[in-house]
Amino acid sequence: DVGNMYPYVESMKVLAAYAALLYIWPSIIFRRRLKGTGLTFRFAFCSTVQIVLLNGAVLGLGLLHILNVWVVRAAFWGALAVSAGIPLLKKKRNEHRTKARSVKNLMMVNCGWKIFLVHKIEKPLGFVKKEWQNYKGRLPEYFILTVILLFGMAFFSNGAFQESSYGCMDQYTHHTWILGLLEGKAFSGGIYPEAMHCFIYGMHSIFGVKLYSCILFLAGIHISVFILAAYCLMKEIFQCSCASLPVLAAWLVFDGIGAKALESMSRLTWTLPQEFGLYLVFLCPLFLIRFFRKREDIKRWYRDENLLVFMLGVGAAVSLHFYVLILVFFSCIPVVFVYFRRIWPVKRLISLALAALRGLEAGLLPMLAAYALGGE
């Protein structure tokens, strides 16, 4: 039945647009920065940098009165083309030269067919072998984590499939504000953190996914980031994944006791700014812990990957919801108390303070600009 398949097709569209916008695009644009880094850093960096970038770009275009679907598409695909195209051209030239030399050697009988083929597949096979050696011992852990993520996404998406309507009145309000962005108006509902609205606007305008479907299914998909962020934090604290996975599994199968517990769980099934940004409550203290545990000297705060993600996390928090920023602040306080001695010398304290201030600036800049232009 085509009618029964419709919500599943729409949810797959939302999932594809979500993955492309939040992970694939920044992975290509910032591939030099991500090269050689761990999976946790890549996940956290992509989960935060795109929120800050989209918030600044969409709202900036709106304040300049040039916000348009085609402008956003041109900027998105243009940046991707420039970032990916130039290196591909250079690579193609090098491959052409290498190929010419290989063919020449082959024609001159300097090497046989077997050696020729080995040279062609040696590099990709080496990459696959290296990745397999790095992660083969953690396959059971990744398998269990994948099962937990899939179960969590199914659990928190169930309501959207059972009843194809918004779960609370606030979602209709946010829908209206995103429509304001589609009309080219920034802060159409008043000056308020709009990073989630900008992200959904990007999914709709760039990939053509229906706005209603984005808001309906996004929460059940985005919960995967919440779970992954919690897993990474617990793994850093316990220094063991064996303790993290059972905790996540227990949380997902726990139905709650009383109306308050059920209400708090149900809010995670709705696409709301505060719930959308709750993953930052885990990511910010995670990279603060990693910063304190690393005792190397820092010349520039932005060259330290832990402070960089911490800055992006603060920027994403303030641009998503002020309550998220408050929660991030209180989740980082215990970390500061535990590692208080490692704040010093003064250079480390200054680097940490600068990272936090730059994050606040990145998130607040569109709102401050709107105030300066006479908005309310």
Side-chain angles (χ1 to χ4, degrees):
D1 187 354
V2 177
N4 292 334
M5 290 300 298
Y6 180 78
Y8 296 97
V9 173
E10 287 297 302
S11 66
M12 289 297 102
K13 290 180 181 178
V14 175
L15 176 60
Y18 174 83
L21 188 59
L22 191 60
Y23 293 110
I24 298 177
W25 190 86
S27 295
I28 296 174
I29 297 295
F30 300 104
R31 62 187 177 280
R32 289 185 179 179
R33 183 64 186 84
L34 296 174
K35 185 178 180 180
T37 58
L39 293 177
T40 301
F41 174 79
R42 296 182 187 185
F43 157 70
F45 180 85
C46 293
S47 300
T48 52
V49 70
Q50 189 69 316
I51 301 297
V52 176
L53 285 178
L54 274 174
N55 180 69
V58 173
L59 294 179
L61 291 172
L63 293 174
L64 294 174
H65 304 290
I66 56 174
L67 180 60
N68 181 276
V69 169
W70 294 106
V71 173
V72 174
R73 287 176 180 174
F76 180 86
W77 296 112
L80 192 64
V82 171
S83 178
I86 295 177
L88 283 177
L89 289 174
K90 292 181 180 179
K91 185 178 180 181
K92 190 174 181 180
R93 290 177 183 174
N94 295 332
E95 288 180 350
H96 180 72
R97 294 172 182 172
T98 304
K99 183 178 179 180
R101 287 196 298 266
S102 299
V103 173
K104 182 179 179 181
N105 291 334
L106 182 64
M107 296 303 293
M108 294 176 66
V109 200
N110 289 337
C111 65
W113 282 103
K114 292 182 180 180
I115 299 176
F116 178 79
L117 293 175
V118 166
H119 285 313
K120 288 298 178 184
I121 64 175
E122 187 176 17
K123 187 174 181 179
L125 284 179
F127 175 78
V128 172
K129 184 178 179 180
K130 181 180 178 181
E131 294 298 313
W132 173 255
Q133 292 294 332
N134 289 336
Y135 299 111
K136 68 177 182 179
R138 303 175 66 178
L139 288 180
E141 173 190 347
Y142 290 151
F143 175 77
I144 297 173
L145 180 61
T146 301
V147 172
I148 291 174
L149 288 174
L150 293 176
F151 176 81
M153 293 171 67
F155 178 81
F156 286 97
S157 298
N158 185 58
F161 287 101
Q162 295 296 326
E163 297 289 340
S164 297
S165 61
Y166 294 158
C168 66
M169 291 301 299
D170 287 352
Q171 287 181 280
Y172 293 95
T173 301
H174 297 301
H175 188 130
T176 303
W177 291 354
I178 299 170
L179 288 177
L181 292 175
L182 289 172
E183 295 173 357
K185 302 175 183 177
F187 302 108
S188 59
I191 297 178
Y192 182 87
E194 287 212 55
M196 188 195 79
H197 307 139
C198 295
F199 185 81
I200 297 175
Y201 171 85
M203 293 175 62
H204 172 73
S205 62
I206 297 170
F207 300 103
V209 185
K210 293 182 179 179
L211 179 57
Y212 183 80
S213 298
C214 289
I215 300 177
L216 183 63
F217 295 110
L218 183 59
I221 295 171
H222 188 64
I223 196 68
S224 59
V225 179
F226 178 88
I227 296 172
L228 276 174
Y231 163 78
C232 292
L233 176 61
M234 288 188 290
K235 187 175 179 180
E236 183 69 27
I237 293 174
F238 301 138
Q239 296 290 297
C240 176
S241 58
C242 297
S244 308
L245 297 174
V247 171
L248 290 175
W251 177 73
L252 285 172
V253 301
F254 177 66
D255 291 330
I257 301 175
K260 292 292 184 182
L262 292 175
E263 181 182 355
S264 63
M265 291 289 281
S266 65
R267 288 184 64 88
L268 290 173
T269 67
W270 307 332
T271 304
L272 300 171
Q274 180 178 337
E275 282 66 28
F276 187 88
L278 284 180
Y279 70 99
L280 298 167
V281 177
F282 303 117
L283 284 188
C284 288
L286 163 63
F287 281 88
L288 197 59
I289 292 173
R290 294 178 67 164
F291 166 70
F292 286 135
R293 286 179 174 176
K294 183 180 178 182
R295 298 191 178 187
E296 298 177 7
D297 293 335
I298 301 172
K299 295 181 179 179
R300 297 288 187 273
W301 66 268
Y302 48 84
R303 293 181 180 176
D304 183 271
E305 64 179 31
N306 300 314
L307 286 183
L308 179 61
V309 174
F310 178 74
M311 181 276 289
L312 292 170
V314 172
V318 71
S319 62
L320 282 167
H321 202 286
F322 291 131
Y323 285 167
V324 175
L325 181 64
I326 294 172
L327 291 172
V328 166
F329 173 76
F330 282 106
S331 65
C332 289
I333 285 180
V335 179
V336 174
F337 276 121
V338 171
Y339 293 99
F340 182 76
R341 292 184 179 179
R342 298 192 184 182
I343 293 178
W344 315 102
V346 177
K347 288 183 178 180
R348 289 176 63 85
L349 178 61
I350 293 176
S351 298
L352 178 59
L354 285 175
L357 287 174
R358 293 295 180 266
L360 289 173
E361 289 176 5
L364 288 173
L365 184 59
M367 288 180 275
L368 294 176
Y371 275 116
L373 293 172
E376 296 180 359

